[in-house]
Amino acid sequence: MFIIAEIAQAHNGSIQKVYDYIDALEETGIDAIKFQTHIAEAESSIHEPFRVKFSDQDATRFDYWKRMEFSKDQWIEIKKRCDTAGLEFMSSPFSNAAVDLLEEIGIQRYKIGSGEVNNFLLLEKIAATGKPVIVSSGMSSFAELDETVKFLKDKNVNFSILQCTTSYPTAPEQYGLNVIQELKDKYQVTIGYSDHSADIGTCIAATALGAEILEFHAVFNHTDFGPDATSSIEIKDIPVMVKSIRNITLSRKHPIDKSNNSQYAELKRIFEKSLSVNKTLPKGHILTFEDLEAKKPKGFGINASRFQSVIGRPITKELQKWDFLTESDIEHE
C-alpha cells in the first residue's frame, strides 16, 4: 500500500506553512507528500471561471495561481525537507513548464490530476521523462480513460489509475467504491483511490475493496482557509486511518482458508458443548426437547449438535439433574 497525503494549496502560498505540513505529516505513517506545481502564465488566464471569488485577496483565479507559485529554489528546499522527513516528494504538474521545473528539482513519479487526463500534450511531455505516472480518473468516462490508457501504453509508460470523484467534499453516494474493481478488471494495472470525502472511513473502505494506492487531502483544521479544506482529512486523524489501512493491507495478504479449521481443535473441545439433562429423570423416561441442556466442554456427552437424535428415545438409567447424556444412557433401536 502506497499512501499519499496531498497538501495542494493548503499552504496558501506560505513556504513556512509548507514546512509545518511536512513536519506534521512526518509523524503520521504516510509514504509521500504531494504538492501541485502551478505556473500561472503557462496553465491559466484571466478568463478562467473556476472559484474566482472564493478568496478576498485575489481578483481572478489567475491571481490566485500566481500567489500559489514557488520559485525553483523554494521547490528545491521543499523537496529537501521531504527527503529529510523520509517522505517521497510528489507533485502534479499543470503545464509542460511545470514538468520542466519538476525535472530540475528531481521527482520520482508524476501524478496526473483529473482535469489533465486527456491533456495529451502534457502526457507526451511526462512520457518523455520515462517516469511512472499515477492517473486520477475523477472527470473521465471509461471511453476517455481508454484513450489515455492506450496513449500511455503506446509510450511504454508505467502507470496506475485512481478511482476519484471530482466533488468537494464527496458525499457517500458519490464515492464510487465499486469502480475500484471495475478498473482492475478492465485495465489490469495497479488501481487506487483518491479521496475528497474528509472521512477516514472512505480510504479504509477503499483498502478493503482492493485499492493499492491511496491519496487524500490533508489539512490542520477543516476551518483553515483554502479551496480543499472541507474536503480534507485533519492531520490529527491521519495516524488512526493509516494504522487501519496498514492492518487491512496485511490481512488481505493472508487469506483465511475456511475449509480447514484444524487449528481450532483444542479450542473447539473447550468451547463447544455436550448434551446434559436439566432435571432428574427416571429410568425409561422418553426424552423431550424440554429435558435437554448443553454444557461445556465437548466430549463429556453426546455432542450438542446431535440433540435431535436423542429426542423420543428412552433412557437406560436414572439421570440426575445436570448429568451429561452419553450414548450408553440412550436405548438404541
Side-chain angles (χ1 to χ4, degrees):
M1 176 61 71
F2 189 63
I3 304 177
I4 308 163
E6 178 168 3
I7 294 176
Q9 278 75 249
H11 53 72
N12 199 31
S14 165
I15 190 72
Q16 182 57 54
K17 198 159 189 180
V18 170
Y19 295 156
D20 292 343
Y21 269 104
I22 295 171
D23 292 345
L25 288 167
E26 180 182 1
E27 307 300 322
T28 63
I30 62 169
D31 299 300
I33 297 180
K34 191 181 85 68
F35 300 88
Q36 295 180 3
T37 302
H38 294 284
I39 299 176
E41 288 87 351
E43 72 176 70
S44 184
S45 73
I46 60 171
H47 305 292
E48 183 181 356
F50 185 57
R51 288 173 172 168
V52 170
K53 296 306 295 180
F54 87 98
S55 166
D56 292 334
Q57 66 187 109
D58 303 305
T60 68
R61 189 66 174 180
F62 179 90
D63 293 334
Y64 174 71
W65 292 133
K66 191 71 179 174
R67 190 163 59 81
M68 292 300 104
E69 292 182 12
F70 291 120
S71 68
K72 175 184 172 182
D73 288 343
Q74 287 175 316
W75 277 118
I76 289 172
E77 291 305 313
I78 289 170
K79 183 181 182 299
K80 285 181 181 178
R81 193 82 168 216
C82 291
D83 292 343
T84 300
L87 298 170
E88 181 180 333
F89 167 83
M90 292 182 64
S91 190
S92 294
F94 292 86
S95 63
N96 284 11
V99 176
D100 287 334
L101 177 58
L102 289 171
E103 284 296 298
E104 288 189 67
I105 296 161
I107 192 168
Q108 295 180 34
R109 74 188 92 197
Y110 284 92
K111 166 69 194 305
I112 306 301
S114 295
E116 309 297 328
V117 173
N118 297 123
N119 180 354
F120 293 110
L121 180 73
L122 178 64
L123 294 180
E124 177 79 21
K125 181 76 171 180
I126 292 172
T129 70
K131 292 176 180 175
V133 169
I134 300 174
V135 177
S136 213
S137 65
M139 292 187 282
S140 302
S141 66
F142 275 128
E144 291 171 322
L145 276 177
D146 286 345
E147 293 182 15
T148 300
V149 166
K150 183 179 186 306
F151 181 91
L152 295 174
K153 284 184 174 180
D154 288 346
K155 300 291 181 180
N156 294 314
V157 175
N158 177 6
F159 70 94
S160 52
I161 302 174
L162 306 184
Q163 159 55 11
C164 173
T165 299
T166 306
S167 179
Y168 302 84
T170 310
E173 59 269 27
Q174 299 173 307
Y175 291 171
L177 293 171
N178 60 293
V179 181
I180 293 171
Q181 190 59 50
E182 293 175 16
L183 289 167
K184 282 176 174 279
D185 294 340
K186 186 172 179 62
Y187 297 118
Q188 301 294 308
V189 297
T190 298
I191 300 299
Y193 189 81
S194 180
D195 178 53
H196 304 119
S197 71
D199 184 341
I200 66 171
T202 312
C203 283
I204 294 170
T207 304
L209 292 172
E212 298 177 70
I213 302 170
L214 292 172
E215 178 190 59
F216 57 89
H217 286 257
V219 72
F220 282 111
N221 193 291
H222 287 145
T223 62
D224 288 353
F225 176 79
D228 303 312
T230 59
S231 309
S232 304
I233 303 294
E234 291 188 348
I235 289 177
K236 65 179 177 60
D237 296 325
I238 294 175
V240 172
M241 181 179 73
V242 169
K243 182 179 179 181
S244 296
I245 289 166
R246 302 291 189 202
N247 286 343
I248 292 171
T249 301
L250 181 61
S251 75
R252 286 178 56 85
K253 292 179 181 178
H254 295 83
I256 299 299
D257 181 5
K258 286 294 283 184
S259 65
N260 180 6
N261 66 345
S262 59
Q263 70 196 68
Y264 297 114
E266 181 58 24
L267 287 176
K268 285 172 69 66
R269 189 190 70 79
I270 294 171
F271 289 105
E272 292 187 359
K273 295 180 177 180
S274 304
L275 288 177
S276 68
V277 295
N278 59 18
K279 59 179 73 71
T280 298
L281 300 173
K283 178 181 178 179
H285 176 80
I286 305 299
L287 289 170
T288 68
F289 181 85
E290 286 72 24
D291 297 325
L292 301 175
E293 187 54 88
K295 293 172 37 173
K296 290 183 287 188
K298 179 180 179 180
F300 278 73
I302 299 168
N303 286 349
S305 61
R306 294 182 50 220
F307 78 93
Q308 290 175 314
S309 68
V310 305
I311 293 175
R313 298 287 182 85
I315 57 176
T316 60
K317 65 180 182 181
E318 180 181 351
L319 295 175
Q320 300 301 308
K321 184 178 182 180
W322 304 128
D323 279 351
F324 284 110
L325 186 66
T326 67
E327 292 288 353
S328 64
D329 297 330
I330 305 296
E331 284 190 14
H332 296 279
E333 297 176 351

